[in-house]
Amino acid sequence: MLLEEQRFLHEDLERLEQGISDRVADDPKHIRDRLNRDHQISGFLNRIQEQSKRLLDIYHDKEGLRSREIQSLSTGDPFDEFYKQLNEIKDFHRRYPNEPVENLERAYKRKAPGDGESATMEVDNMFTGEEAFGRFLDLTALHEDYLNLSGVKRVSYLQYLSAFDSFTPPQCPIKRVDKTTDQYFNYVGRLADYLENFLRRTRPLEDLEIVFAKVDQDFAKAWEANEVPGWGPEAQAAGPTAPITEGDGEGIWCADCEREFKNDNVYKSHLSGKKHIKAAELRSSRGQTNNVDTNEHSNSRGSTVRKLKERAIADREYRVRKLAASMETQRNDTRVNVERKQGMTERERQMELDAFFAESTEAAPRPGDEDSESDDDEKIYNPLKLPLAWDGKPIPYWLYKLHGLGVEFPCEICGNFVYMGRRAFDKHFNEARHIYGLKCLGITNTSLFREITGIEDALKLWDKIQRDKKKEKAGGENIVQMEDAEGNVMPEKVYYDLQKQGLL
C-alpha cells in the first residue's frame, strides 16, 4: 500500500498549500485573529516539512518495497491484486469498525463564520491578560525576583521596564562578585527564557533559530575578545596613578569603593578615609583567598568552574540585551500602558479588561452581514476630528481637553513639525528628530536647549555659551598667584589687600 500512502502524501501537501494561501489572503483586523492565523500557518509549514520528509523516504525506497509493489501490479493479474488489497481493507475495517476517516478537505479548510465551530482559538491560552495577545510585556513576576536580589535598590515597575536589560553600573548596582550567586543566575535565566518564549509566541512565522544562533555566535566572539560589557578584565591600579574609569567615562574610578569621582582632589582625599581603607582590605583579602584556593587546587578546578559560571551568566545577559533591543516597540508600549493604568482606579482597569476580552471573543459576522458591518466600520462618527484610540474609535472629548491635544506646538528645529499637546511637545526634546536637528546646527550639548524651538535662538544661545567658555578659560589662565612668607598661595589682589591691612 506504499503507492496509496504516496498518493495520500501528495494530496496532503496540496491541501496544506491551499490552506496556507487561503489564510495569507485573509487580513484580519484584530491582533488576536492575526496571531491565530500566523500560528496556523506555522503549524501547516511544519507539517509540510514532516510530510515531505516521509515522501522523500518513499521515493528513495531504500528497502525496495515500492519497487516490489509496482512490479506486482504490472506483472501479475491486475484483478487478483485489486481484490487482494480490497480484502485487506475490509479486514482492517472489520477489526477496527470505529476508526475515523481523515477528511483533508475539511481539516485544512478555513473555518467560515457560522460553521458551528468553537470560538476558542489556540492563542487564547498563550498570553496573560497583561500581555494583551503580545502587545505588551508582562515582567511583574521577574520584577519581584529582581527586588529580592542582594544589593539591589528598590525600584518601581516602570523604572524596571526601562533598565531590565542593563547589567553594568551605574544602572545595575549588583557587583560582579554577587552575580555568580545561584539566585542571580536563576533570575537572568528566567528573564532570557521569557523574552525568547515571547518572541516565539508573537513571531511564529519568523525563523527565530537563525536569530538565536546569530546571538550565540556574536557572544562567543565578544567573549573571546573580552568585549562583553561588565565582564572584561578588571583594571588594576598601578602606584599612585588612578585606574581607568568604569562609570560614565567622565571621572576617576575607584576599584576598591566601586565609585566614580568627578574631581581629582576629591579622589585623592578619599584615599585616607576609613571606608576606602576598609574596602581596600576587603578586596585584597578576597584576592588572597582566590590565590590560596587556586594554589590548593593546582591552578585549575576552582578558577575553571568560576569562569564557566561567569560565561554562562554573561551569555544570558548578552541574550537578554539583544532580545530586548529587538522588542523595543513592545517595551515602549508597555511603559505607556503602565503609566496609563497607574492613573486608573481598580474598577476602571477591570472594566477595560472585560471590554478587551469581550471584543476579542465576540463572534465573527455572518457572510451576509459583511458589507453592512464594513460600512459601519468605515463611517465612524468623528465630527471634532479627535485622535483615535487603540481600538480605532475616537477618544473622549474630556480626555482630549485634559491633555491639551488641541494646542499646537511647532518646532522650527524639527523642520517646522507640529506637535499636538504639551506632553508630546515636552517628550520630543529627547527624541532623535530634535537631537538630529540640533546636531545639524553644530550644537553638541543638547541638554541646555530645552524649550528652545527656533533656529536663530538656538544659534545665539550656543554662541553665548562658547564665548563664556572662552572667557572663563582665558580668565583662569591670566590669574597671577602670589606667595607670602609662610608659603600660602593666593591671588595677586588678595595678597595686596592683606599687605595694605598689615596682615602679612
Side-chain angles (χ1 to χ4, degrees):
M1 302 290 286
L2 279 178
L3 293 178
E4 171 59 25
E5 185 178 357
Q6 178 181 332
R7 186 210 59 79
F8 173 80
L9 291 175
H10 278 291
E11 181 187 359
D12 196 18
L13 291 176
E14 291 181 2
R15 297 285 186 187
L16 286 167
E17 291 175 2
Q18 184 62 40
I20 291 176
S21 64
D22 292 342
R23 284 159 178 79
V24 170
D26 188 20
D27 188 20
K29 295 182 179 180
H30 200 276
I31 186 173
R32 171 177 178 259
D33 300 328
R34 288 198 301 269
L35 270 178
N36 188 68
R37 178 201 62 183
D38 293 346
H39 278 281
Q40 286 183 355
I41 294 175
S42 177
F44 288 171
L45 292 174
N46 293 335
R47 184 169 174 83
I48 285 177
Q49 290 181 342
E50 296 172 0
Q51 300 292 67
S52 300
K53 186 177 179 182
R54 290 176 56 191
L55 193 58
L56 285 174
D57 292 339
I58 293 176
Y59 275 115
H60 290 158
D61 196 19
K62 294 181 180 180
E63 299 180 358
L65 298 177
R66 179 170 174 271
S67 302
R68 286 197 295 269
E69 186 171 341
I70 293 175
Q71 187 177 5
S72 64
L73 288 174
S74 59
T75 56
D77 188 358
F79 286 102
D80 291 343
E81 187 66 27
F82 171 76
Y83 285 114
K84 179 183 176 183
Q85 293 185 8
L86 179 61
N87 292 330
E88 290 179 359
I89 294 173
K90 289 182 177 180
D91 182 59
F92 175 83
H93 285 286
R94 191 180 301 110
R95 285 185 283 119
Y96 306 101
N98 297 323
E99 183 73 15
V101 179
E102 187 175 8
N103 189 349
L104 296 181
E105 183 179 3
R106 185 177 178 83
Y108 306 132
K109 187 178 179 182
R110 191 164 60 91
K111 302 298 186 296
D115 282 354
E117 299 289 339
S118 174
T120 305
M121 297 185 180
E122 57 181 307
V123 298
D124 290 342
N125 298 325
M126 286 186 181
F127 300 95
T128 63
E130 191 70 24
E131 289 174 334
F133 296 112
R135 293 180 60 224
F136 311 120
L137 298 171
D138 186 8
L139 301 176
T140 50
L142 292 165
H143 176 231
E144 294 294 332
D145 295 341
Y146 175 78
L147 295 179
N148 291 328
L149 297 175
S150 59
V152 171
K153 296 181 181 178
R154 189 164 190 86
V155 295
S156 64
Y157 183 53
L158 201 59
Q159 293 171 328
Y160 176 75
L161 286 172
S162 302
F164 71 84
D165 60 337
S166 299
F167 301 101
T168 55
Q171 290 87 358
C172 180
I174 304 175
K175 301 178 183 178
R176 180 169 177 172
V177 179
D178 297 333
K179 286 186 177 182
T180 56
T181 59
D182 293 340
Q183 188 180 13
Y184 182 81
F185 178 79
N186 294 333
Y187 160 72
V188 180
R190 285 194 295 271
L191 181 57
D193 291 342
Y194 173 79
L195 296 178
E196 182 177 333
N197 185 31
F198 187 85
L199 266 182
R200 293 183 187 276
R201 288 179 290 158
T202 55
R203 304 177 186 178
L205 295 182
E206 295 185 18
D207 193 355
L208 297 176
E209 298 301 330
I210 297 178
V211 178
F212 299 147
K214 181 68 167 56
V215 172
D216 293 337
Q217 291 175 3
D218 294 344
F219 169 75
K221 294 178 182 178
W223 182 262
E224 292 296 332
N226 288 327
E227 295 177 355
V228 180
W231 296 96
E234 295 182 355
Q236 301 290 338
T241 306
I244 300 174
T245 179
E246 295 182 11
D248 56 12
E250 298 179 357
I252 303 172
W253 179 263
C254 177
D256 296 326
C257 301
E258 297 185 357
R259 282 184 58 195
E260 187 178 43
F261 297 88
K262 302 290 185 184
N263 194 307
D264 186 47
N265 294 329
V266 177
Y267 169 77
K268 292 178 180 178
S269 63
H270 104 284
L271 295 176
S272 58
K274 293 182 179 179
K275 289 186 177 180
H276 175 79
I277 295 173
K278 187 176 180 180
E281 290 176 353
L282 181 62
R283 188 165 181 246
S284 62
S285 64
R286 188 189 304 151
Q288 292 174 2
T289 304
N290 290 340
N291 291 335
V292 171
D293 293 341
T294 305
N295 293 331
E296 288 178 354
H297 292 82
S298 304
N299 286 334
S300 62
R301 188 169 183 182
S303 60
T304 303
V305 172
R306 184 171 61 85
K307 287 181 180 178
L308 289 174
K309 193 167 187 179
E310 286 183 352
R311 180 187 171 91
I313 296 173
D315 182 18
R316 284 159 174 77
E317 289 182 354
Y318 191 85
R319 180 172 289 239
V320 168
R321 200 177 290 113
K322 291 295 183 181
L323 295 180
S326 66
M327 294 186 288
E328 194 63 29
T329 303
Q330 287 91 342
R331 186 176 181 176
N332 294 332
D333 292 345
T334 305
R335 284 201 295 263
V336 174
N337 185 53
V338 170
E339 288 181 352
R340 184 178 60 84
K341 284 191 174 183
Q342 285 178 350
M344 300 168 62
T345 63
E346 182 64 28
R347 180 172 172 271
E348 290 174 335
R349 293 195 199 101
Q350 189 62 37
M351 288 174 62
E352 183 187 64
L353 193 63
D354 294 342
F356 176 76
F357 280 109
E359 180 185 356
S360 62
T361 56
E362 64 184 0
R366 290 185 296 273
D369 297 338
E370 283 187 5
D371 296 336
S372 60
E373 289 291 334
S374 61
D375 293 341
D376 293 340
D377 290 341
E378 292 174 0
K379 297 177 182 179
I380 297 177
Y381 185 69
N382 189 13
L384 299 178
K385 306 297 182 184
L386 300 176
L388 301 181
W390 60 270
D391 57 354
K393 298 178 182 178
I395 64 174
Y397 184 71
W398 64 266
L399 189 62
Y400 175 81
K401 297 292 289 183
L402 177 66
H403 291 290
L405 299 180
V407 184
E408 297 182 354
F409 293 90
C411 180
E412 187 180 4
I413 297 175
C414 297
N416 293 322
F417 190 86
V418 178
Y419 295 91
M420 304 302 294
R422 184 72 192 183
R423 182 180 180 184
F425 177 71
D426 291 338
K427 284 178 64 178
H428 101 279
F429 289 106
N430 297 325
E431 293 177 354
R433 186 204 300 266
H434 189 81
I435 295 174
Y436 177 73
L438 291 174
K439 288 184 178 179
C440 290
L441 299 175
I443 299 172
T444 56
N445 190 358
T446 59
S447 59
L448 301 176
F449 290 80
R450 197 172 183 85
E451 300 293 336
I452 295 179
T453 58
I455 294 178
E456 186 178 354
D457 297 338
L459 291 175
K460 287 181 180 179
L461 177 59
W462 182 246
D463 292 339
K464 183 178 183 304
I465 291 173
Q466 297 300 314
R467 289 197 303 269
D468 293 344
K469 283 186 177 180
K470 291 180 181 178
K471 286 181 182 179
E472 189 176 329
K473 187 176 180 181
E477 292 175 353
N478 296 331
I479 294 177
V480 179
Q481 301 288 337
M482 306 290 289
E483 185 177 355
D484 60 4
E486 297 178 357
N488 298 320
V489 180
M490 62 195 74
E492 182 182 15
K493 184 177 182 303
V494 177
Y495 178 83
Y496 285 124
D497 289 344
L498 294 176
Q499 191 179 43
K500 289 177 183 178
Q501 296 177 15
L503 298 177
L504 295 179

